[in-house]
Amino acid sequence: MPACQCLKTCPFFNNMMTGMEDTAEKTKDKYCRGDFEKCARYMVFKALGKENVPSDLFPVQVYRVEDILKYRT
Ligand code: SF4
């Protein structure tokens, strides 16, 4: 499976989880290097573009995506 196309610039992948390295690596394996289409950040990125992905949105927070899309469209 290909990795997420956002890997190089995604704040989550690059520095959002500082101090939580174990959890970060597990999440990166699950989403960023795996099932990225299920990542909340990726969903918002695809729908609204990189500039509209909230900085505090974590990959597991899919429950927030619907509200983000409603609010920003
Ligand atoms: S899967 Fe999600 S968290 Fe990982 S790089 Fe892509 S957009 Fe960022």
Side-chain angles (χ1 to χ4, degrees):
M1 181 177 278
C4 177
Q5 68 187 94
C6 304
L7 274 189
K8 284 191 181 148
T9 56
C10 181
F12 170 81
F13 191 82
N14 293 293
N15 58 19
M16 202 168 152
M17 301 276 287
T18 304
M20 297 183 276
E21 280 73 17
D22 281 356
T23 306
E25 281 312 306
K26 283 182 193 150
T27 308
K28 288 174 186 178
D29 282 344
K30 181 176 164 79
Y31 293 99
C32 313
R33 304 180 192 107
D35 216 354
F36 58 84
E37 290 185 339
K38 291 188 177 156
C39 168
R41 297 187 64 85
Y42 183 80
M43 290 175 189
V44 177
F45 160 76
K46 284 308 269 186
L48 302 178
K50 181 174 132 183
E51 64 280 6
N52 288 307
V53 181
S55 57
D56 66 344
L57 182 64
F58 281 77
V60 296
Q61 294 177 324
V62 174
Y63 62 89
R64 291 180 59 192
V65 172
E66 192 177 334
D67 278 350
I68 292 166
L69 298 190
K70 254 193 246 169
Y71 178 73
R72 307 223 175 180
T73 52

